[in-house]
Amino acid sequence: MPETRRDFLRRDFLKASAAAIGGLTLSTAAGTQAAAQELKTVKGFDETQTDIDPDQPWKPVSDRKIKMGLVGYGYCKFSTSFGLQNHPNVEVVAVSDLFPDRCAELSKVAKCEKTYPSLEEMVKDKNIEAIFVATDAPSHARHCIEILRHGKHAATAVPATWDNLDVAEELFETVNKSGLIYTMFETSAYRDNCFAMRKIYRAGGFGEIVYSEGEYVHHSVGTIGSYNGWRVGLPPQYYPTHSNAYYCAVTDGSFTEVSCMGYRSGLSPRPEENKYGNKFTSEIALMRTSNGGSSRMAVAWDIQGYYAEDGRNFGENGSYLNNAFNGSKEANALVSKLKLKKPQLPPGVAAGGHGGSHGYLGNDFVEAILLNRRPLVDIVMALNMSVPGVISHRSALKDGELMKIPQFKRKT
């Protein structure tokens, strides 16, 4: 039979995925340089424009330096993306990556001579107070549990957990028992619009949220290099936090039940060709929220010509969309008095990519440790953003069956 366009697209996708995975083992200087150049084209990292208020200077809360470890320097080089190595209250004292060439590069960028061949070795170092985890997504929960059990604060890239709900519960209990700081670096939480909506909501501008939307649209995400190919065939809702943050990081609420519809395009390996047995390239979730409202949260790998980490909220008193609030006369008056721009960051710390969110997430982790306070995206918010994706994918596999979502609440 003649090759169809769908066959061609799938074949091209698989070749690109294989090349990306194979690229992970490059150890030459040319390979490292090529990877760095390719990173510039990864969507999100190029979004550095952000709105910072010049009238809100950064104020130091301590002169103490936290002894920090960084682990993971894969395709996205995330461990140095959040400015921790440049923060005036941080001293990076150790770094780690499983690949020696990557570990050497991380050591150079972080300006830290001490290296470990694995996280399992790093956590034994009693000099380290906190570790940022930028390893493969399926290992985030397990690695954070290991860190916390060794008496160290933990921060992680997204998502907080993967497909195993027992591990999510174990992580939740480990954080609570440890008394240590845990946070997830969800970038949407510090995008300009989400930051503004959070301030408006806390001030009462929205009233109750009736309906919210979020979407993470990233074409052919499976072609981005990943350890053991974890991105290849990735179920979209296993990576839900960039969209879910547009409700959770605004209201600190959760999703209680979901009906999710899946769609399959020709841009993904067949189920028998990916480790997840996944057949979907887009998953659109309709969820009930903890305040009784509704949310539509979408994750899609197969939409061309559009990249988005974006969202909107619609409330009883007013709504926020197209980067502007509009509501009742009283709500508009209230919101007009709010400072909706982000404050300045510490000297030397850049706002960074994903809408200028990176530096704010790193700074929040540092100040949470110094002040012994709850970070914005704590274990409760992190799991309430991540776990709904697991249930959404299960719902999609059952043609949109309505399913309950486990709830995580702070213990008083």
Side-chain angles (χ1 to χ4, degrees):
M1 294 178 62
E3 184 175 59
T4 65
R5 181 175 181 276
R6 178 177 289 263
D7 293 331
F8 174 81
L9 287 170
R10 187 176 64 81
R11 184 194 67 198
D12 189 57
F13 180 93
L14 289 171
K15 284 182 178 179
S17 299
I21 297 166
L24 295 177
T25 62
L26 290 173
S27 58
T28 64
T32 300
Q33 185 176 3
Q37 183 63 33
E38 193 168 2
L39 178 59
K40 294 179 181 179
T41 68
V42 177
K43 293 295 185 180
F45 287 86
D46 56 344
E47 294 184 310
T48 57
Q49 182 63 38
T50 191
D51 207 357
I52 298 175
D53 189 345
D55 296 326
Q56 295 187 68
W58 174 74
K59 297 178 181 179
V61 298
S62 171
D63 59 1
R64 186 169 82 81
K65 285 185 176 288
I66 300 164
K67 297 184 183 301
M68 189 86 68
L70 306 177
V71 58
Y73 206 60
Y75 188 90
C76 292
K77 305 184 185 303
F78 237 23
S79 56
T80 56
S81 293
F82 294 85
L84 293 168
Q85 70 277 7
N86 300 320
H87 199 288
N89 292 112
V90 172
E91 178 188 0
V92 176
V93 296
V95 299
S96 176
D97 191 278
L98 294 175
F99 295 84
D101 59 318
R102 289 180 176 176
C103 195
E105 186 183 357
L106 173 55
S107 173
K108 182 178 179 180
V109 174
K111 300 176 183 178
C112 171
E113 295 183 358
K114 192 168 190 178
T115 64
Y116 286 98
S118 68
L119 171 71
E120 288 74 15
E121 289 299 314
M122 176 187 274
V123 293
K124 298 175 185 177
D125 188 333
K126 295 182 180 179
N127 190 44
I128 300 173
E129 298 175 66
I131 295 177
F132 170 50
V133 172
T135 57
D136 57 298
S139 298
H140 288 170
R142 176 172 60 84
H143 286 161
C144 285
I145 289 170
E146 184 79 3
I147 291 165
L148 293 160
R149 286 179 176 169
H150 278 81
K152 306 177 194 309
H153 306 290
T156 180
V158 303
T161 190
W162 207 237
D163 61 339
N164 190 320
L165 296 183
D166 289 337
V167 173
E169 187 63 36
E170 183 181 1
L171 175 62
F172 181 67
E173 293 300 332
T174 301
V175 173
N176 286 326
K177 289 179 181 178
S178 73
L180 296 163
I181 301 298
Y182 167 95
T183 188
M184 181 181 75
F185 284 178
E186 171 40 56
T187 55
S188 289
Y190 276 101
R191 284 182 174 272
D192 289 354
N193 58 357
C194 192
F195 179 85
M197 283 188 274
R198 181 165 58 251
K199 296 201 75 171
I200 293 169
Y201 179 81
R202 289 178 174 178
F206 284 110
E208 286 294 332
I209 299 294
V210 179
Y211 173 62
S212 52
E213 298 177 334
E215 57 267 342
Y216 176 38
V217 179
H218 195 161
H219 179 67
S220 295
V221 72
T223 63
I224 300 174
S226 51
Y227 179 66
N228 286 336
W230 67 263
R231 283 192 177 95
V232 178
L234 173 65
Q237 284 285 350
Y238 277 15
Y239 216 83
T241 60
H242 292 335
S243 50
N244 289 350
Y246 277 95
Y247 177 75
C248 296
V250 172
T251 69
D252 198 20
S254 62
F255 306 109
T256 60
E257 52 188 342
V258 60
S259 171
C260 182
M261 303 301 292
Y263 172 77
R264 172 173 171 73
S265 73
L267 297 176
S268 179
R270 291 191 298 255
E272 62 270 21
E273 294 171 335
N274 69 74
K275 65 174 64 180
Y276 307 105
N278 173 49
K279 61 182 180 180
F280 297 126
T281 47
S282 291
E283 293 178 324
I284 314 301
L286 180 62
M287 297 190 278
R288 193 182 309 280
T289 62
S290 52
N291 78 323
S294 300
S295 286
R296 188 272 299 153
M297 297 296 175
V299 188
W301 309 147
D302 49 16
I303 296 173
Q304 293 249 28
Y306 180 64
Y307 171 82
E309 297 173 25
D310 202 359
R312 295 149 291 282
N313 276 275
F314 304 85
E316 293 174 336
N317 297 339
S319 301
Y320 192 103
L321 65 160
N322 299 324
N323 296 314
F325 178 85
N326 189 36
S328 66
K329 181 179 179 180
E330 294 76 14
N332 288 338
L334 183 153
V335 171
S336 68
K337 298 176 183 177
L338 299 176
K339 292 184 177 181
L340 299 181
K341 296 181 181 180
K342 291 182 286 192
Q344 295 180 42
L345 284 164
V349 177
H354 290 88
S357 64
H358 291 181
Y360 290 92
L361 290 159
N363 184 62
D364 185 52
F365 180 45
V366 171
E367 292 191 354
I369 295 172
L370 293 174
L371 298 173
N372 192 30
R373 65 157 173 80
R374 178 165 64 86
L376 173 63
V377 188
D378 67 345
I379 185 60
V380 170
M381 188 182 291
L383 290 174
N384 282 336
M385 284 188 200
S386 303
V387 169
V390 178
I391 307 302
S392 293
H393 179 60
R394 294 180 184 180
S395 171
L397 291 173
K398 295 188 176 183
D399 199 27
E401 179 180 319
L402 185 65
M403 293 185 172
K404 298 291 186 181
I405 299 172
Q407 300 295 291
F408 297 89
K409 298 180 179 180
R410 296 183 187 92
K411 297 183 178 179
T412 56

